[in-house]
Every structure is written in C-alpha cells, then in structure tokens.
C-alpha cells in the first residue's frame, strides 16, 4: 500500500508543479479550507476538478489518494491506507480524495474520517451518487462546488485573446475565437490544440458512457445506451418526451427510457431541463429540453450535417447559467410554454420569485424573428409577472420597448464576457 501511495504522491507532485489557468472560484478558498466543512468538488470528467483542488491546496501540507487508480481500489484496506498516508505525508493537514465515487462503501468511510476530524477535499464525477449520499449522511456539513469546462471568458483568457480589442486585427481574432468556442467548447486540455478535438472528445465520450454509466450500472446492452446518448446529442437544445425516446429507439418501455436518461445525467454529460409550471404534477408530465455539458461533444458525436449556430448558442447559454449558480435540482432554472404555445428558452427563479426570462436567437435581422422573440417574452412576462426580459443574440446590443415592455437585447460578447 505504501508503494501505491508513493507512486500517487509522485503523480500529485507532477500535476501540482504545472502552471494552470486560475478558475474564478478559487477566490476566498483559504476561509473555506480553514472550516471544518467537507469541500466537495463535482463535475464531469476532465473539467478541472483535480486541478482546482490542487490550486486550493498549493503551499499546504496535504495527502492525496486517487481512486481512478485500479491498484489502490483492488488493495484498499482502511487501516493500511491510513498508516501509509501518515508515513508518506507526515503531519498532513488536509486529505484530498480524488474521484471518490469509484470506491465501494466510500460514504461510510468519508463519514468516519469526518467524525475523526480529518479536513477533507473530495472530487467526484457522479451527481446523484455524491450529492444525494452527502446530503443524507452529512447534511449541513459540506459545501459543494460545481466545476464545468472552461467558460468562454476562461477560454479566451487561457488562449491569450484580447477581450477588449482596439485594432481591427484584435477584433477579428476575438470574433474568430468566440466562433471557435461556440463550435468546439471549452474542455481545458484541448482549447489550445483544436486539431485533436474530435478524437479527444470522442474518447472522453466513450470513457463516460462505458466507465461512468455502463460499468457502474452493470448494463450489458451498451448499444442501447450509446444509441440513446447519440440521440440526445443530436437533439440537444430541443424538447423531448420519454415516450418519444422509448418509441424512436425501441427501448421497450418508458421506464427504461427514464432510467437510461437518468444514468446519462449522473456523470454530468447531459441535463434535462423541466418546463416551468406552478402545478408540480403538470411539470412532471411535460417534455424536457436536453442540453449537453459542452458543445464539443456535438462536433464529435452528433449526426448533424452542418453546424446549427442557434442551438449551439442556446446550449452555451444554458451551461453558463449553470456556472452562474442556477440549479435545476433546486428548482431555479426552467424553460416555459405560454398559454398560447410560445416557448421561452429559460426562466430563472430564486425562491418563489421569477428572476428573468431569457430568449436566445443567433441573429434577429429579420422582422419576423424579432416579432416572434419579442412577442413570446411579452406574453410570458404577463403570465409569470416578470419584467426582466432578456434576448441573447450573437452580435446585437439594443434596448427596445415592445408593446409596453422593455427588452434588453445583448450580444454574446457582452453576455458571456461581462
């Protein structure tokens, strides 16, 4: 066991020695580290969870265990592990447990460590397994940080693109970089190496589906799982029903469709956004809109023959709203259908108050498009008693008054970067 932990220490030191992009969430972490709370860092594979934890712990005396290591998992024995940790990391103040969900019975062990006073940082790539178990066992004793792929702003900063261009060449470079992000997304390892984009994202997709879903849930017919994942990617930013999914893919039952969709949500690969309705029963019956955690997966796996900029932009806005703290599980983010069937892409909500209504349209040069988007916002504004009306476009900034309602039209540059 000591040899395994020594090998992992060398891996930790190598990773910690690299110069990484600083994520915005890093601010204020000293106070968090000093608290007795468990620091739970969740999100999809390779989005930067481990790097974020290493950044938090830079300059600290901390121990490290990586549960993506099959050697550690196959030889794990609690007493031997704790003894080896003390020998390899004498006097350590913090313990970082990386991808803890891979350890069987992790929840009992983490609870024991917490009760012993160990200051814990935990990373994991399974939403339901981690959050639900932690909420059950350690209510009020942990704080969760969701780590997603780079935002547009983080990507531009990492690739050293001037976000306040003065010269025509700088303006062109910014525009090209934004278009690149729209199409390719923000996974940290490939924002500087787009030539390996499809191979990398395809490999990551396989790893998530096979390791985090099929293996975990002991699914033998992986073809059905892959078909569903490809179906969801192809229909990103669109509303879907479980009945329709089951029928289109011959899954046998609506129950199977729901179960498989839930499995694909767990590793943060997909999100299923509910339709807002003040009646919970009606909300549960309505279609859900599907979004993928990064548009790079669309390029790698979708059956689209050409890029759909409108749907890509809508998917980007959804993920950015998640970054800004709107949580589907806490009933803070929805889409909406008005009484006459007009769709509002996003409804944000805090507590009992609807905070904003957000439409997304790549371009609004045509009068028909403006009328459609403005009209939907006005109707929804009346129905939901909300006057914070926003229309996110690719390159238009304008303030308009439509039928007595003020609507803020904001470009992607200003919405994502400011």
């Amino acid at each position: 066991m000591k040899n395994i932990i020594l090998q992992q220490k060398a891996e930790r030191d190598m990773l910690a020695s690299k110069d990484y992009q600083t994520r915005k969430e890093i601010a204020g972490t000293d106070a968090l580290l000093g608290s007795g709370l468990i620091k739970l860092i969740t999100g999809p594979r390779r989005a930067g969870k481990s790097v974020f934890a290493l950044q938090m712990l830079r300059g600290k005396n901390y121990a490290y265990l990586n549960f993506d290591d099959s050697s550690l998992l196959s030889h794990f024995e609690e007493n031997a592990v704790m003894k080896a940790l003390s020998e390899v990391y004498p006097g350590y103040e913090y313990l970082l447990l990386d991808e803890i969900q891979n350890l069987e019975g992790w929840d009992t062990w983490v609870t024991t460590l917490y009760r012993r006073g160990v200051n814990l940082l935990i990373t994991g790539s399974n939403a339901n397994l981690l959050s639900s178990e932690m909420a059950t066992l350690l209510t009020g004793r942990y704080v969760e940080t969701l780590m997603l792929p780079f935002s547009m702003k983080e990507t531009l900063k990492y690739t050293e693109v001037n976000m306040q261009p003065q010269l025509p060449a700088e303006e062109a470079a910014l525009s090209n970089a934004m278009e690149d992000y729209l199409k390719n997304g923000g996974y940290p390892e490939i924002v500087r190496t787009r030539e390996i984009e499809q191979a990398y994202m395809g490999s990551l997709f396989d790893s998530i589906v096979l390791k985090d879903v099929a293996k975990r849930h002991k699914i033998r017919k992986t073809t059905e799982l892959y078909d569903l994942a490809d179906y969801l990617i192809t229909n990103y930013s669109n509303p879907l029903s479980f009945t329709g999914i089951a029928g289109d893919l011959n899954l046998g039952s609506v129950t199977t469709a729901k179960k498989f969709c839930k499995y694909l949500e767990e590793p943060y690969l997909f999100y299923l956004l509910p339709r807002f309705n003040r009646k919970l029963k009606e909300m549960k019956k309505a279609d859900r809109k599907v979004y993928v955690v990064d548009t790079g997966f669309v390029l790698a796996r979708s059956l689209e023959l050409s890029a759909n900029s409108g749907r890509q932009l809508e998917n980007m806005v959804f993920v950015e709203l998640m970054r800004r703290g709107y949580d589907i599980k806490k009933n803070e983010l929805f889409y909406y259908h008005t009484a006459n069937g007009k769709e509002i892409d996003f409804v944000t909500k805090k507590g009992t108050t609807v905070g904003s209504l957000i439409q997304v349209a790549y371009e609004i040069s045509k009068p028909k498009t403006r009328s459609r988007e403005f009209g939907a916002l006005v109707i929804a504004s009346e129905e939901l008693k909300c006057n914070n009306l926003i229309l996110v476009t690719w390159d238009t900034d304008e303030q308009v008054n439509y039928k007595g309602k003020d609507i803020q039209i904001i470009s992607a540059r200003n919405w994502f970067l400011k």
Side-chain angles (χ1 to χ4, degrees):
M1 179 54 66
K2 185 175 180 180
N3 286 336
I4 293 172
I5 292 177
L6 281 169
Q7 290 173 356
Q8 291 199 355
K9 183 177 185 295
E11 171 194 326
R12 180 205 75 162
D13 292 345
M14 182 272 293
L15 291 171
S17 68
K18 295 183 178 181
D19 185 23
Y20 296 105
Q21 165 89 1
T22 299
R23 307 300 292 266
K24 64 179 181 180
E25 296 91 346
I26 204 75
T29 53
D30 281 346
L32 182 58
L33 283 174
S35 75
L37 297 172
I38 296 175
K39 279 63 72 175
L40 177 61
I41 306 168
T42 57
R45 283 184 176 272
R46 301 185 196 171
K49 300 185 301 296
S50 302
V51 167
F52 180 65
L54 292 172
Q55 287 177 323
M56 288 179 66
L57 292 166
R58 183 164 287 169
K60 312 292 185 184
N61 181 12
Y62 65 98
Y64 171 77
L65 291 173
N66 179 8
F67 290 95
D68 248 352
D69 184 341
S70 58
S71 297
L72 176 60
L73 291 171
S74 60
H75 294 91
F76 186 87
E77 196 279 315
E78 181 183 343
N79 292 331
V81 167
M82 298 308 294
K83 181 175 183 294
L85 284 174
S86 296
E87 293 173 355
V88 175
Y89 302 101
Y92 66 88
E93 300 174 58
Y94 308 93
L95 176 56
L96 171 56
L97 306 176
D98 209 359
E99 298 294 353
I100 187 66
Q101 78 279 346
N102 293 325
L103 176 67
E104 188 174 350
W106 68 269
D107 48 344
T108 302
W109 187 51
V110 165
T111 303
T112 300
L113 291 174
Y114 175 80
R115 288 173 179 166
R116 290 175 183 170
V118 180
N119 199 329
L120 295 168
L121 285 83
I122 299 174
T123 79
S125 303
N126 186 297
N128 289 348
L129 183 66
L130 287 162
S131 297
S132 60
E133 293 294 337
M134 293 288 277
T136 300
L137 296 168
L138 296 162
T139 302
R141 297 169 185 170
Y142 73 97
V143 60
E144 183 175 0
T145 298
L146 176 64
M147 189 61 54
L148 295 168
F150 279 173
S151 66
M152 181 187 285
K153 190 171 186 178
E154 288 173 319
T155 299
L156 295 176
K157 183 178 180 182
Y158 188 59
T159 52
E160 300 177 337
V161 175
N162 187 348
M163 287 179 268
Q164 295 180 320
Q166 302 295 321
L167 302 174
E170 294 173 336
E171 182 70 35
L174 175 57
S175 179
N176 289 337
M178 289 177 60
E179 289 279 3
D180 176 80
Y181 182 86
L182 179 73
K183 176 182 177 183
N184 296 298
Y187 263 90
E189 290 180 285
I190 53 169
V191 294
R192 288 179 173 173
T193 54
R194 292 305 196 191
E195 61 272 12
I196 65 169
E197 167 87 15
Q198 287 189 270
Y200 176 92
M201 296 301 288
S203 173
L204 179 55
F205 179 90
D206 288 339
S207 178
I208 293 172
V209 173
L210 290 175
K211 189 172 183 178
D212 295 332
V213 180
K215 183 179 179 181
R216 178 170 304 284
H217 294 287
K218 298 180 174 59
I219 298 173
R220 295 180 180 179
K221 296 181 179 180
T222 57
T223 300
E224 290 184 345
L225 191 64
Y226 265 100
D227 287 346
L228 174 58
D230 285 335
Y231 182 86
L232 295 179
I233 285 181
T234 301
N235 287 282
Y236 74 103
S237 300
N238 284 336
L240 296 172
S241 70
F242 293 120
T243 301
I245 292 171
D248 289 347
L249 298 179
N250 296 315
L251 292 179
S253 71
V254 173
T255 300
T256 300
K258 286 183 177 180
K259 180 174 68 175
F260 277 18
C261 283
K262 179 183 177 183
Y263 290 167
L264 289 169
E265 284 186 282
E266 287 179 2
Y268 303 91
L269 181 57
F270 294 102
Y271 295 90
L272 297 180
L273 184 67
R275 184 198 297 177
F276 181 76
N277 195 306
R278 298 193 188 278
K279 296 180 180 178
L280 183 60
K281 184 177 180 180
E282 294 299 318
M283 189 165 70
K284 287 186 174 182
K285 291 194 302 183
D287 294 353
R288 302 209 166 202
K289 289 185 77 172
V290 60
Y291 296 98
V292 63
V293 72
D294 189 86
T295 52
F297 283 116
V298 177
L299 180 69
R301 299 292 304 192
S302 176
L303 300 178
E304 284 185 339
L305 298 177
S306 60
N308 187 312
S309 299
R311 290 167 63 198
Q312 288 173 331
L313 180 59
E314 182 181 332
N315 198 101
M316 279 172 53
V317 170
F318 169 78
V319 177
E320 183 65 19
L321 287 168
M322 295 285 290
R323 281 193 194 92
R324 296 180 185 184
Y326 292 101
D327 192 332
I328 294 175
K329 291 182 179 179
K330 294 179 181 178
N331 295 321
E332 296 173 342
L333 188 59
F334 307 86
Y335 79 102
Y336 180 66
H337 273 191
T338 64
N340 65 347
K342 304 293 184 181
E343 184 173 296
I344 298 297
D345 293 320
F346 302 110
V347 174
T348 67
K349 184 171 171 284
K350 290 291 186 180
T352 59
T353 304
V354 173
S356 63
L357 306 179
I358 303 173
Q359 287 289 72
V360 182
Y362 186 80
E363 60 88 23
I364 56 168
S365 59
K366 297 178 181 178
K368 184 177 180 181
T369 303
R370 294 171 71 92
S371 177
R372 181 185 68 233
E373 303 298 344
F374 296 169
L377 283 168
V378 168
I379 295 170
S381 173
E382 294 291 343
E383 293 180 359
L384 298 180
K385 310 303 180 188
C386 175
N387 291 318
N388 185 15
L389 311 180
I390 300 168
L391 174 56
V392 180
T393 71
W394 188 246
D395 57 7
T396 302
D397 289 289
E398 186 182 352
Q399 191 80 20
V400 302
N401 186 281
Y402 187 81
K403 296 185 177 180
K405 296 286 185 179
D406 289 327
I407 300 173
Q408 181 186 10
I409 305 172
I410 185 167
S411 65
R413 178 183 300 188
N414 285 326
W415 196 79
F416 285 99
L417 302 188
K418 293 183 180 180

